[in-house]
Amino acid sequence: MHKVAVIGASGYTGVELLRLLAGHPAVTVTCVTSRQQAGQPLGEAFPSLAGIFDLTFEAVEPAALSGRADLVFLAVPHQAAMGMVPQLLAAGCRVVDLSADYRLHDAAVYAEWYEPHQTPELLAEAVYGLPELYRERVRGARLVANPGCYPTSAALALAPLLRHRLIDPATIIVDSKSGTSGAGRTAKVDTLYCEVNEGFKAYGLPRHRHTPEIEQTLSEVAGRPVTISFTPHLVPANRGILSTCYASLAGAASTAELVALYRQEYAGETFVRVLAEGRLPNISQVRGSNFCDLGLTVDPRTRRVVAVAAIDNLVKGAAGQALQNMNLMLGLDEGTGLRGAPIFP
C-alpha cells in the first residue's frame, strides 16, 4: 500500500479527494491537515466521511511528513503551495499540487497574473498534469501541477483541432460556465445562496487567471503562440463545467469528419467520451465522475466549428485528475479508483 497525505483537506477539493481515495485499493491515507480544524476528527467535520476514515485533522508542517507519506496532495490556495513544495520534495515526498503555483512555466507570466513566484527554480521541473496530453512526463515526475478546471475542459475540447491545424488559432473563443463549488468553500458574498440562486453571470473579465494557463497548453499543442478570448460564468449549480469553444475553420470539414477525428485522437482514453454526431454534452451526465464528454458541430454558414466539453469541476477538474496523476506517478493502472459511473439524475 502506498501512503498518501492531503494537505488542506477541509475544502471542497480536499473532501472530494478523500471521497475518491476511500475507494482506492492501493493507497492508504495517513494524514489530513487543516490549520483551522486541527484536532477535530474528520468524521465530525464532514459527516459524509464518518466511519470511512479514522483520522483527525492535524496542523503538521510539510517537513514532518517524511516517512509518513510517499505522495502528498496539496489542496491549498496559490502562494501557500509554493511555500510547502520545497520542504515536501526535500522530505522525499512526491507532490501533486492542485493550486496554480506550478502550472505556468514562465515566472514572469505567473507574476503578471498572480504575484512574484517564490521558487521559480522549480517551474522547469514541474510537469503539467493533463494525462491525455502529457502522460509520459507525469509518470516520472516528482512534482505535478494539476491543471485548472476551465483549462482542462478547453484543452481537451480544442487539442485535436489545433494539432491537425484545422482551425485558425487567432479566432478561438472559450465560453465557460461553472457551478459554485469552483469558487471554493470559503464564505463569500458573491457565492451566498441568495446571490447565486436564480442568477447567471459572467465574471473575471477580461483577465481571468486561467487565461494564460489555457493559452500555454493550446500554444504547446499548436506549436505556435495562441491567444484566446475567455469568458467564465457562474451558474446556480453545485458542480460542473460546460465549456463551449468556437473557432474559424482553416479549411473544409464536416461534423461527421471531426467526430471521427476526435474518436481517433481519444481512442483508448478511458476518461474522454466523444459523443455521436448530433449530441452535445450536459454537466448532469458527468456529475461525480472523472469523465470529460465532448461534442462537436460545424456551422457551414459561418465556417466555424463549435466544440463543447462537460466535466465535473471537482473531479476531472480537480480531485479526480489528481488521482489520475497519482496513479501514473506510483506506477498503478491510471484508472484505479476512478471508474465509477456518473451520478444521474
Side-chain angles (χ1 to χ4, degrees):
M1 297 288 282
H2 299 277
K3 296 177 291 184
V4 302
V6 180
I7 295 181
S10 59
Y12 288 136
T13 298
V15 174
E16 191 72 358
L17 272 168
L18 292 170
R19 180 182 75 84
L20 295 171
L21 287 165
H24 199 293
V27 302
T28 182
V29 180
T30 58
C31 178
V32 292
T33 84
S34 170
R35 295 192 185 279
Q36 290 77 20
Q37 295 177 279
Q40 185 175 13
L42 179 61
E44 285 185 11
F46 296 99
S48 63
L49 298 174
I52 297 174
F53 293 101
D54 184 20
L55 293 167
T56 297
F57 283 113
E58 303 179 42
V60 67
E61 293 300 320
L65 291 176
S66 177
R68 293 186 65 188
D70 305 311
L71 184 142
V72 175
F73 294 103
L74 277 178
V76 296
H78 72 274
Q79 293 291 105
M82 69 177 72
M84 301 178 184
V85 166
Q87 299 176 64
L88 291 168
L89 295 178
C93 302
R94 300 174 83 176
V95 178
V96 177
D97 176 25
L98 287 94
S99 83
D101 282 354
Y102 294 94
R103 294 173 186 162
L104 300 176
H105 305 327
D106 189 329
V109 175
Y110 183 91
E112 179 185 351
W113 292 82
Y114 293 90
E115 291 87 18
H117 207 287
Q118 299 170 18
T119 56
E121 67 279 2
L122 289 174
L123 292 177
E125 178 181 352
V127 172
Y128 190 68
L130 187 54
E132 289 78 10
L133 298 183
Y134 303 111
R135 179 173 286 109
E136 295 310 313
R137 299 184 197 177
V138 170
R139 290 187 198 278
R142 288 196 309 164
L143 171 59
V144 167
N146 213 62
C149 46
Y150 288 129
T152 293
S153 60
L156 294 175
L158 291 166
L161 296 171
L162 287 167
R163 187 179 292 120
H164 291 273
R165 298 184 176 271
L166 295 173
I167 55 174
D168 177 357
T171 66
I172 294 175
I173 296 171
V174 178
D175 184 282
S176 298
K177 289 87 175 172
S178 174
T180 58
S181 59
R185 193 163 179 255
T186 303
K188 309 179 188 75
V189 171
D190 284 351
T191 55
L192 293 174
Y193 177 81
C194 289
E195 303 289 329
V196 174
N197 185 48
E198 299 185 27
F200 181 16
K201 66 177 183 179
Y203 69 97
L205 293 173
R207 288 174 57 84
H208 189 279
R209 285 172 167 176
H210 279 174
T211 303
E213 184 184 340
I214 298 170
E215 291 179 343
Q216 175 180 270
T217 303
L218 297 184
S219 296
E220 290 180 357
V221 173
R224 51 179 165 164
V226 174
T227 301
I228 67 166
S229 293
F230 171 54
T231 302
H233 301 75
L234 187 66
V235 297
N238 291 340
R239 294 169 175 255
I241 280 179
L242 189 79
S243 287
T244 306
C245 307
Y246 306 84
S248 295
L249 288 165
S254 68
T255 299
E257 289 170 335
L258 293 184
V259 168
L261 171 68
Y262 270 62
R263 288 188 165 173
Q264 179 181 336
E265 288 287 296
Y266 289 118
E269 292 293 349
T270 302
F271 300 114
V272 179
R273 303 190 297 192
V274 180
L275 305 187
E277 183 178 358
R279 292 188 57 208
L280 294 172
N282 187 326
I283 59 171
S284 69
Q285 293 165 3
V286 296
R287 184 167 58 241
S289 81
N290 200 50
F291 288 115
C292 173
D293 281 2
L294 298 175
L296 298 113
T297 190
V298 170
D299 183 349
R301 186 180 64 86
T302 61
R303 295 192 65 252
R304 281 196 287 266
V305 59
V306 183
V308 184
I311 63 171
D312 184 320
N313 59 294
L314 292 179
V315 190
K316 185 57 175 170
Q321 188 145 259
L323 258 70
Q324 199 176 345
N325 284 315
M326 177 201 75
N327 286 335
L328 289 166
M329 295 167 77
L330 297 179
L332 304 171
D333 179 272
E334 188 174 330
T336 305
L338 290 169
R339 290 193 174 92
I343 302 166
F344 185 81

